[in-house]
């Protein structure tokens, strides 16, 4: 709403004028949100987020504000400075607090972002799928339909990767079935959620040209200001869009792909310089994809290997798997090195099995069979 900043400012001014109350933690958290989303002031937004968290930590009577405060601070602000795994823990705390105090609206939003972050950080897909089922059923029973519906988008991506859809490349199954005509009745946040899921699915299925086309369509429909409320989702979305577009550009030479890739790559670099610790592996992967596009083979290899190392240090099994696979594709296409390609694919298979991505295991095993035949 265009009136949201005004409402936030009014609530903030009341806290300054009349003293803090149970409404103040949420007010301070929302000030931090505006500073992050609208002004891109990372340092000041963190300061106000910590003010809000300090209030709920030191004043037991403000427990009623805990769920909303944790959702706003860790879903919209502190993801830019804390590890995603730490944010997920606090969001889960926000969910539990909201359910116990009756703040079911914010409890559901905490659960929604918790599951999205858990997917991004490589939580086992079988366990995460069970979480999604529990949370979406609760959301539905509470009639919190927006977080319920948006949760199902990425849940279906997980279902596809687990091999529980008829076609792993098509976002259709038990949790959600994509229908582009629905965009006309959706709000912007829901539309972006669908595109986010389409991009993730294309990224992990290495369906680069289709994924890049979805990204171009998203950026044609909306400005960055319209689709970026400051959540972690939009940072990771840009990183994955850039990978898809660089890879698609290598295959098609389409200039629009390169332009969007460089724009998103720049965003990932910028937030890294401002202290975001969560996308360092993606920045290296983007450097590798850009080097591959430019034909800089030795630099590309160095950056792929650095990306794998950084993803491993963060414990993100899913990203270790896909980077190994993409590195294997690069080695095969650019260097015709069968041994290294086979090594990368086999390591990716082990990681996909650990993640629970049966569809990816099957797809890579076929790649390995084809590799053996070609040798």
């Amino acid at each position: 709403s265009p009136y949201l900043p005004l409402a936030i400012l009014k609530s903030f001014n009341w806290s300054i004028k009349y003293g803090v109350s149970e409404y103040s933690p949420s007010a301070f958290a929302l000030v931090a949100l505006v500073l992050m989303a609208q002004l891109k002031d990372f340092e000041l937004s963190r300061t106000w987020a910590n003010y809000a968290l300090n209030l709920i930590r030191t004043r037991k009577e403000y427990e009623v504000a805990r769920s909303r405060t944790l959702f706003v601070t860790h879903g919209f602000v502190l993801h830019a400075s804390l590890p995603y795994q730490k944010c997920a823990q606090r969001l889960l705390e926000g969910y539990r607090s909201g359910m116990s105090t009756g703040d079911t609206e914010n409890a559901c939003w905490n659960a929604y972002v918790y599951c999205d972050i858990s997917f991004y950080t490589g939580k086992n897909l079988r366990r995460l799928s069970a979480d999604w089922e529990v949370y979406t059923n609760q959301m539905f029973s509470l009639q919190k339909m927006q977080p319920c519906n948006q949760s199902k988008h990425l849940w279906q991506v997980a279902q596809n990767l687990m091999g529980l859809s008829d076609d792993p490349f098509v976002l259709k199954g038990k949790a959600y079935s994509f229908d582009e005509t629905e965009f006309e009745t959706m709000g912007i946040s829901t539309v972006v959620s669908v595109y986010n899921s389409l991009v993730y699915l294309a990224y992990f299925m290495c369906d680069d040209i289709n994924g890049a086309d979805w990204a171009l369509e998203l950026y044609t429909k909306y400005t960055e200001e319209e689709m970026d409320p400051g959540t972690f989702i939009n940072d990771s979305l840009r990183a994955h869009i850039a990978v898809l577009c660089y890879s698609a550009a290598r295959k098609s030479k389409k200039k629009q792909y390169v332009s969007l890739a460089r724009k998103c790559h720049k965003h990932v670099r910028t937030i890294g310089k401002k202290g975001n610790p969560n996308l360092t592996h993606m920045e290296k992967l983007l450097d590798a994809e850009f080097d591959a596009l430019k034909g800089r083979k030795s630099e590309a290899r160095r950056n792929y290997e650095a990306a794998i190392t950084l993803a491993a240090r963060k414990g993100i099994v899913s990203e270790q798997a896909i980077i190994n696979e993409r590195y294997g594709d690069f080695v095969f296409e650019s260097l015709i090195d069968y041994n290294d390609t086979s090594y990368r694919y086999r390591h990716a298979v082990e990681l996909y099995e650990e993640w629970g991505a049966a569809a990816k295991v099957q797809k890579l095993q076929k790649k390995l069979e084809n590799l053996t035949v070609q040798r």
Side-chain angles (χ1 to χ4, degrees):
S1 168
Y3 300 107
L4 180 61
L6 184 61
I8 293 170
L9 183 60
K10 190 74 172 177
S11 179
F12 172 74
N13 283 338
W14 283 343
S15 293
I16 300 300
K17 185 174 181 179
Y18 300 110
V20 295
S21 69
E22 64 188 61
Y23 301 104
S24 298
S26 298
F28 291 173
L30 289 167
V31 167
L33 183 156
V34 171
L35 289 166
M36 171 66 78
Q38 300 298 322
L39 302 181
K40 311 298 181 187
D41 191 328
F42 284 41
E43 186 173 348
L44 196 55
S45 66
R46 283 195 293 266
T47 298
W48 282 102
N50 285 320
Y51 285 157
L53 292 171
N54 188 56
L55 283 176
I56 62 170
R57 183 169 55 247
T58 58
R59 305 286 286 269
K60 292 183 178 180
E61 63 270 29
Y62 295 167
E63 179 62 27
V64 68
R66 180 177 294 274
S67 184
R68 182 173 178 79
T69 302
L70 289 172
F71 166 57
V72 175
T73 54
H74 290 81
F76 291 85
V77 181
L78 295 177
H79 65 82
S81 56
L82 295 177
Y84 284 157
Q85 291 89 338
K86 177 67 173 178
C87 291
Q89 292 171 10
R90 299 308 302 274
L91 289 160
L92 192 56
E93 178 187 335
Y95 159 76
R96 291 167 177 158
S97 175
M99 294 301 288
S100 67
T101 61
D103 185 4
T104 56
E105 178 76 24
N106 285 293
C108 290
W109 282 113
N110 273 292
Y112 161 66
V113 182
Y114 164 77
C115 286
D116 275 15
I117 288 183
S118 295
F119 177 86
Y120 179 75
T121 53
K123 182 173 181 175
N124 179 269
L125 291 175
R126 289 183 291 274
R127 292 198 296 270
L128 182 54
S129 187
D131 287 345
W132 259 312
E133 187 155 19
V134 169
Y135 293 134
T136 54
N137 284 339
Q138 285 184 335
M139 292 170 188
F140 183 80
S141 67
L142 293 166
Q143 287 298 287
K144 306 302 181 186
M145 298 314 297
Q146 188 174 354
C148 178
N149 291 334
Q150 290 184 195
S151 294
K152 292 178 180 180
H153 303 153
L154 204 54
W155 181 15
Q156 185 56 51
V157 174
Q159 294 276 304
N160 280 45
L161 293 168
M162 291 166 69
L164 301 178
S165 61
D166 293 335
D167 184 344
F169 289 88
V170 178
L171 194 64
K172 183 176 182 180
K174 172 186 173 181
Y176 173 73
S177 293
F178 172 61
D179 180 355
E180 197 167 358
T181 61
E182 292 179 344
F183 282 157
E184 298 173 5
T185 60
M186 291 177 177
I188 291 177
S189 64
T190 306
V191 172
V192 172
S193 174
V194 173
Y195 275 110
N196 179 57
S197 299
L198 291 166
V199 165
Y200 265 121
L201 182 59
Y203 172 74
F204 281 109
M205 295 306 298
C206 298
D207 189 12
D208 299 330
I209 290 179
N210 279 330
D213 286 339
W214 286 124
L216 286 173
E217 189 175 301
L218 173 63
Y219 271 77
T220 299
K221 285 183 177 180
Y222 302 112
T223 65
E224 288 191 341
E225 289 72 22
E226 288 175 313
M227 63 183 181
D228 185 2
T231 66
F232 95 94
I233 295 169
N234 285 288
D235 290 336
S236 62
L237 175 64
R238 288 188 177 116
H240 291 87
I241 283 174
V243 174
L244 288 166
C245 287
Y246 276 141
S247 185
R250 290 212 316 270
K251 296 169 183 175
S252 71
K253 310 302 180 184
K254 194 172 180 177
K255 291 183 179 179
Q256 285 176 293
Y257 293 152
V258 178
S259 177
L260 182 54
R262 297 192 73 165
K263 182 177 185 179
C264 292
H265 193 171
K266 181 180 179 181
H267 174 81
V268 174
R269 279 204 193 103
T270 298
I271 63 174
K273 289 176 181 177
K274 289 186 176 182
N276 189 320
N278 294 298
L279 296 175
T280 53
H281 63 290
M282 293 302 297
E283 185 174 349
K284 284 296 181 183
L285 175 57
L286 290 173
D287 291 342
E289 293 288 343
F290 183 66
D291 288 333
L293 177 66
K294 295 296 183 182
R296 298 193 291 257
K297 296 178 182 181
S298 59
E299 291 90 340
R301 293 195 75 150
R302 242 189 339 263
N303 282 316
Y304 277 120
E305 289 166 7
I308 291 167
T309 299
L310 289 168
R313 286 177 184 169
K314 294 183 176 75
I316 308 177
V317 174
S318 53
E319 291 294 346
Q320 292 176 65
I322 188 63
I323 298 170
N324 267 288
E325 181 181 0
R326 288 181 176 275
Y327 186 15
D329 289 344
F330 164 77
V331 169
F332 179 71
E333 293 164 7
S334 301
L335 304 172
I336 321 296
D337 186 333
Y338 289 96
N339 290 332
D340 200 7
T341 301
S342 178
Y343 170 77
R344 294 296 165 188
Y345 285 170
R346 291 182 189 283
H347 190 35
V349 166
E350 293 172 0
L351 292 161
Y352 281 129
E353 286 178 336
E354 182 180 346
W355 190 31
K360 287 297 305 185
V361 171
Q362 185 178 13
K363 183 172 181 285
L364 261 182
Q365 285 174 339
K366 288 181 180 178
K367 277 188 175 182
L368 281 164
E369 289 172 7
N370 292 335
L371 195 65
T372 302
V373 170
Q374 290 179 51
R375 294 178 74 172

